[in-house]
């Protein structure tokens, strides 16, 4: 008699290690791993251009890994339920296993899929593979969701430690006959415009590189993370965000990787448990917690009074921001870095986001949409949190009067101007004193550096001091509505 067959429905868990759905499938019998392309089911947040580029590479890498274990990735198009039911009939599968995701549209879709499969007598089981703690297990003392980060984090630290990561299977039992699969290229995930060269140069999607990045970070940068994490001119952070988003590495692996590193070096437990780095990983948890309990927040402010904010509409200024042509070098460098590589440093994300919502008074939703399309790590929970935090309308948000000065932020966090010189090469010959504010440099300095404002590099799109005053007024009106 043939072994029972399980479908392993892969979604954002593109790894073999610490993959509970894969383990369940292997324990069940023969395994048919499938990726179902159904972006419409995630509307209005179907993956953007840069994320789709990553997805293509990640699926290819996963297929290669599966083949090394005697398996392969089957690719189908949605609707998901139809695709799973058809595949179950074709293969005789009696079980479907998957790891959970937490976006509102995905939660709703998955619940329907689970109910329908059960109705058809197919075992359907999902697992936690993407978070340290399931959102519904964490609530404050009043039984409500947290809206402030520090108590959330403290609460998480008092929870039982996340289970040790599962090891990858040595072999994945294959079905007697492989079902048909689309070719990866048929999904047309890669950009049609000439856009991916910079992403290809900057990244190697896949589980192997995710693990390598973590290892490199733990050995080279973890010790100095607190000091360097705000410096976009050095590699001071882990760059794990797209790997985490696509599930090429799990937060459990990070947690236990930190612990193992500390044990190996004889460091006290507090050195990693209370570390700034683990706190940042916990901000990711917090983002998922908020999205789970407040599923309207990708488009609506968490603080309702901000719904009345009189954002401006200015397509020309939005375009100037998107293209990195604002005349403020740290903002322009960030926007160009993300367009080229699909990633932007966290400090610079905060600066460019503040510039959009406070200097230009353009809606945070427009910024979130642009990030959604241009970042390889575009993540509904984290992107929403980041934008609402910056705009002052979200949980534990920056107060409305905190308006980043793009010049002093540049001077503080890119002190030698190396980051700006890299992404705004037209300013490369400008001395450090002027690199973050070319508009204040004397004409002879600009001439000597080959900079002609308004021609080789733009004049500032707004005067920061005046923009700041206007933003304070606009935000004060909201505050008075609230009180
Ligand atoms: C406006 C705005 C939008 C953002 N959009 C996204 C997004 O779409 N996807 C995304 O992954 N991150 C987003 N972030 C958070 C953060 O900028 C990135 O996670 C970080 O820059 C990734 O770099 P890293 O992996 O080197 O981070 P590290 O500093 O090495 O941190 C490790 C991990 O912790 C998590 N993390 C770090 N900082 C934050 C944070 N502030 N909020 C939530 N999680 C965090 C990430 O998963 C990250 O990979 C956004 C931040 C802002 C201000």
């Amino acid at each position: 008699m043939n072994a029972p067959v399980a479908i392993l429905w892969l979604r954002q868990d593109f790894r073999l290690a610490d993959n509970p759905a894969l383990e369940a499938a292997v324990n069940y019998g023969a395994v048919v791993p499938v990726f179902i392309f159904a972006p419409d089911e995630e509307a209005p947040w179907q993956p953007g251009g840069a994320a789709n580029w990553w997805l293509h590479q990640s699926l290819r890498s996963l297929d290669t890994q599966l083949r090394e274990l005697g398996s392969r990735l089957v690719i189908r198009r949605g609707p998901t339920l139809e695709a799973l039911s058809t595949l179950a009939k074709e293969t005789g599968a009696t079980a479907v296993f998957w790891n959970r995701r937490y976006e509102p549209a995905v939660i709703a879709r998955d619940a329907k899929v689970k109910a329908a499969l059960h109705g058809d007598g197919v075992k359907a089981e999902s697992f936690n593979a993407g978070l340290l703690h399931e959102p519904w297990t964490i609530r404050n003392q009043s039984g409500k969701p947290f809206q402030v980060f520090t108590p959330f984090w403290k609460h998480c630290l008092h929870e039982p430690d996340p289970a040790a990561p599962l090891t990858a299977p040595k072999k994945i039992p294959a079905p007697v006959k492989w079902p048909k699969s689309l070719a990866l290229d048929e999904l047309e995930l890669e950009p049609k415009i000439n856009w991916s060269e910079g992403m290809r140069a900057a990244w190697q999607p896949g589980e192997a590189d995710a693990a390598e990045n973590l290892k490199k970070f733990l050995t080279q940068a973890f010790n100095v993370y607190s000091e360097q994490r705000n410096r976009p001119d050095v590699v001071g952070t882990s760059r794990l965000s797209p790997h985490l988003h696509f599930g090429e590495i799990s937060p459990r692996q990070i947690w236990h990787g930190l612990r193992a590193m500390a044990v190996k070096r004889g460091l006290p437990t507090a050195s990693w448990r209370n570390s700034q780095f683990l706190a940042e990983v916990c901000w990711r948890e917090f983002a998922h917690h908020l999205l789970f309990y407040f599923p309207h927040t990708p488009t609506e402010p968490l603080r309702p009074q901000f719904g009345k904010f009189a954002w401006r509409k200015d397509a020309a200024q939005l375009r100037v921001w998107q293209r990195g042509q604002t005349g403020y070098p740290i903002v322009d460098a960030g926007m160009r870095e993300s367009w080229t590589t699909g990633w932007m440093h966290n400090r610079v994300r905060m600066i460019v986001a503040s510039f959009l919502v406070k200097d230009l008074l353009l809606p945070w939703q427009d910024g979130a949409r642009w990030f959604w399309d241009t970042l390889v790590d575009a993540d509904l929970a984290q992107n929403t949190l980041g934008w609402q935090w910056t705009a002052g309308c979200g949980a534990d948000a920056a107060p409305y009067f905190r308006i980043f000065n793009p010049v002093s932020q540049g001077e503080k966090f890119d002190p030698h101007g190396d980051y700006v010189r890299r992404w705004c090469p037209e300013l490369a010959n400008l001395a450090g004193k002027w690199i973050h504010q070319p508009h204040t440099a004397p004409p002879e300095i600009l001439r000597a550096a080959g900079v002609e404002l308004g021609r080789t590099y733009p004049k500032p799109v707004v005067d920061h001091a005046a923009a700041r005053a206007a933003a304070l007024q606009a935000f004060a009106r909201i505050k008075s509505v609230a009180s």
Side-chain angles (χ1 to χ4, degrees):
M1 207 177 83
N2 291 337
V5 179
I7 293 173
L8 169 65
W9 176 22
L10 292 152
R11 302 121 58 84
Q12 265 172 15
D13 48 351
F14 303 142
R15 63 176 184 270
L16 302 185
D18 198 29
N19 189 326
L22 169 60
E23 177 161 282
V26 168
N27 289 339
Y28 191 82
V31 182
V32 179
V34 65
F35 174 76
I36 301 169
F37 185 61
D40 293 353
E41 294 173 10
E42 299 183 30
W45 295 102
Q46 47 275 74
N52 271 334
W53 173 81
W54 189 288
L55 176 62
H56 180 101
Q57 325 304 319
S58 196
L59 290 173
R60 195 176 49 199
S61 163
L62 182 69
D63 184 46
T64 307
Q65 283 184 285
L66 287 168
R67 283 174 190 272
E68 281 161 11
L69 298 188
S71 186
R72 66 177 71 163
L73 184 65
V74 174
I75 298 174
R76 293 282 167 102
R77 275 186 205 282
T80 295
L81 179 58
E82 231 173 274
L84 285 173
S85 301
T86 308
L87 195 58
K89 282 196 193 93
E90 287 172 15
T91 58
T94 46
V96 183
F97 298 109
W98 68 87
N99 294 311
R100 288 192 272 277
R101 289 177 51 185
Y102 304 90
E103 298 84 352
V106 175
I107 290 178
R109 190 263 323 268
D110 292 356
K112 280 192 198 143
V113 167
K114 200 177 235 179
L117 289 172
H118 280 155
D120 289 347
V122 176
K123 181 182 167 84
E125 203 177 334
S126 63
F127 301 86
N128 171 20
L131 293 175
L132 296 172
H133 304 287
E134 294 284 20
W136 52 87
T137 64
I138 307 286
R139 284 170 181 264
N140 68 18
Q141 280 180 341
S142 335
K144 298 217 165 86
F146 284 92
Q147 292 196 43
V148 180
F149 174 70
T150 305
F152 171 83
W153 182 33
K154 285 197 178 137
H155 183 99
C156 290
L157 284 175
H158 283 104
E159 288 289 291
D161 283 1
L166 302 163
T167 49
K170 298 234 167 355
K171 193 168 164 22
I172 300 176
V176 176
K177 186 167 174 266
W178 279 104
K180 277 201 301 250
S181 170
L182 294 169
L184 179 56
D185 285 340
E186 288 180 66
L187 302 185
E188 299 188 11
L189 294 168
E190 298 211 271
K192 292 195 178 55
I193 55 170
N194 182 17
W195 182 28
S196 54
E197 195 183 318
M199 292 189 264
R200 268 201 307 275
W203 299 102
Q204 187 62 56
E207 185 174 9
D209 262 67
E212 187 56 36
N213 268 17
L214 176 63
K215 196 166 138 204
K216 228 193 285 170
F217 172 74
L218 291 179
T219 49
Q220 294 171 12
F222 174 75
N223 278 348
V224 287
Y225 181 77
S226 307
E227 297 99 72
Q228 304 237 334
R229 72 190 186 96
N230 276 309
R231 291 277 302 271
D233 56 332
V234 298
V235 181
T237 66
S238 69
R239 297 173 65 94
L240 281 170
S241 52
H243 298 291
L244 271 165
H245 173 76
F246 285 95
E248 295 167 358
I249 193 166
S250 74
R252 281 193 293 256
Q253 289 172 304
I254 295 180
W255 173 284
H256 287 279
L258 277 169
R259 172 144 81 186
M261 176 269 306
V263 169
K264 195 167 158 200
R265 291 188 202 162
L267 300 173
T269 306
S271 69
W272 66 274
R273 269 185 95 91
N274 300 337
S275 67
Q276 186 63 46
F277 179 66
L278 196 57
E280 295 305 322
V281 174
C282 206
W283 270 97
R284 176 177 177 275
E285 297 277 313
F286 187 46
H288 284 84
H289 178 84
L290 292 168
L291 182 62
F292 179 78
Y293 286 109
F294 306 102
H296 61 288
T297 51
T299 47
E300 302 295 324
L302 181 68
R303 298 179 188 208
Q305 69 267 29
F306 274 82
K308 295 207 165 59
F309 193 88
W311 297 108
R312 292 171 57 243
K313 277 280 166 203
D314 188 326
Q317 283 195 353
L318 178 63
R319 209 168 164 71
V320 157
W321 176 82
Q322 289 169 339
R323 301 202 151 190
Q325 296 288 338
T326 66
Y328 287 97
I330 191 80
V331 175
D332 295 340
M335 298 308 291
R336 297 181 198 184
E337 178 186 27
S338 60
W339 178 256
T340 306
T341 68
W343 186 85
M344 195 194 301
H345 188 278
N346 181 58
R347 168 59 51 178
V348 189
R349 289 188 208 211
M350 293 195 286
I351 298 171
V352 304
S354 176
F355 193 82
L356 185 82
V357 297
K358 295 188 176 167
D359 284 66
L360 301 182
L361 286 177
L362 295 176
W364 60 269
Q365 292 93 333
D366 286 358
R369 265 288 163 200
W370 181 255
F371 272 26
W372 186 255
D373 205 32
T374 54
L375 292 177
V376 288
D377 65 13
D379 182 280
L380 196 58
Q382 286 157 282
N383 200 36
T384 300
L385 171 70
W387 279 97
Q388 292 227 14
W389 184 90
T390 311
C393 59
D396 206 355
Y400 77 98
F401 52 80
R402 186 187 294 167
I403 298 176
F404 284 151
N405 178 325
V407 174
S408 54
Q409 286 283 311
E411 288 170 346
K412 186 163 174 199
F413 296 113
D414 179 28
H416 315 293
D418 294 343
Y419 178 71
V420 161
R421 285 195 189 87
R422 171 155 187 221
W423 295 108
C424 302
E426 67 271 41
L427 301 176
N429 295 326
L430 215 47
K433 187 168 175 204
W434 311 109
I435 189 83
H436 291 291
Q437 44 182 335
H439 54 284
T440 63
E444 63 277 13
I445 297 279
L446 291 174
R447 237 189 336 271
V451 177
E452 194 181 325
L453 290 181
R455 202 179 69 79
T456 62
Y457 184 72
K459 293 179 180 162
V461 60
V462 286
D463 170 63
H464 174 68
R468 181 174 188 280
L472 285 175
Q473 262 184 17
F475 282 91
R477 278 198 291 276
I478 286 294
K479 202 180 163 218
S480 65
V481 172
S483 53

